[in-house]
Amino acid sequence: MTHHHKRPRPTTLFAPVQIASGKVHGHCYPRCELHLILDNYGTHKHPKVREWLEAHPRIHFHFMPTSSSWLNLAERWFRLIIYQAIQGGSFDGVPRLIRTTMSCLHGWSRDAKPFRWLKTLTESPRRLRRVTQISGTRH
C-alpha cells in the first residue's frame, strides 16, 4: 500500500483471552477508547509521553494511587522474586544476578498461577481509605 492509503475503520475488535481457560470473550466496537492503568513510574509521565497522549486522544492513562504498591500485581511479583531468588544471595556480578532473576522468571512462568487476594475490602478498609485520601480519587 502507498502511504496515501487510508484504511476505513468500520469496527474495532476487543478480544481479551481468559488465561485460565483459553476462552476469548470478543466484542466489536465502532471505535473504542483504551484506558491503561499504570504505576507512578516517572517515564509514564514524561513530557514526550504526555505529548504523544495529546496526539492520541482515545488513549487514556490512569495512575495507581501513590503508596499503593500492594494493589499492583507486578510489584507483588517483584517482591516475590526478591524473597525467592535474590534476598540473601551472593552474586559475583550483574550477569549472575540477571541469570538468577531470569531463571526465577522462567520457572514461575512454566507453572504460573494467578495471584489471589487474601483480604477482602471489608478486612482492610483503613488501608484503602488511606490510599484514597493520599491520592484524592482522580487517578
Side-chain angles (χ1 to χ4, degrees):
M1 304 271 172
T2 69
H3 67 281
H4 297 290
H5 175 72
K6 293 263 186 206
R7 186 175 66 159
R9 295 196 180 241
T11 189
T12 297
L13 172 62
F14 181 72
V17 177
Q18 186 177 11
I19 303 300
S21 68
K23 289 182 181 178
V24 177
H25 303 275
H27 297 282
C28 289
Y29 298 97
R31 177 107 169 139
C32 63
E33 291 187 354
L34 181 61
H35 292 266
L36 302 171
I37 300 171
L38 307 163
D39 62 17
N40 284 291
Y41 193 58
T43 57
H44 299 153
K45 297 177 179 182
H46 189 277
K48 288 191 182 278
V49 172
R50 290 179 190 218
E51 182 181 317
W52 185 88
L53 284 171
E54 285 178 22
H56 298 86
R58 69 182 195 90
I59 299 174
H60 307 277
F61 282 4
H62 303 278
F63 297 96
M64 297 187 69
T66 304
S67 302
S68 67
S69 61
W70 55 279
L71 289 172
N72 184 340
L73 290 181
E75 292 291 340
R76 173 63 186 102
W77 190 85
F78 291 153
R79 187 171 56 177
L80 181 105
I81 199 169
I82 287 169
Y83 290 139
Q84 290 187 355
I86 298 172
Q87 189 174 29
S90 179
F91 305 98
D92 59 358
V94 174
R96 172 78 57 154
L97 174 62
I98 291 171
R99 282 194 303 275
T100 300
T101 301
M102 295 308 293
S103 176
C104 186
L105 183 148
H106 294 304
W108 175 270
S109 293
R110 275 192 303 270
D111 191 33
K113 293 177 181 56
F115 286 103
R116 302 225 187 269
W117 294 105
L118 299 177
K119 291 187 178 182
T120 66
L121 290 177
T122 57
E123 291 176 306
S124 50
R126 282 184 302 169
R127 195 171 198 183
L128 223 69
R129 209 171 17 255
R130 190 190 84 216
V131 167
T132 55
Q133 288 170 350
I134 291 171
S135 69
T137 49
R138 301 188 48 86
H139 286 275

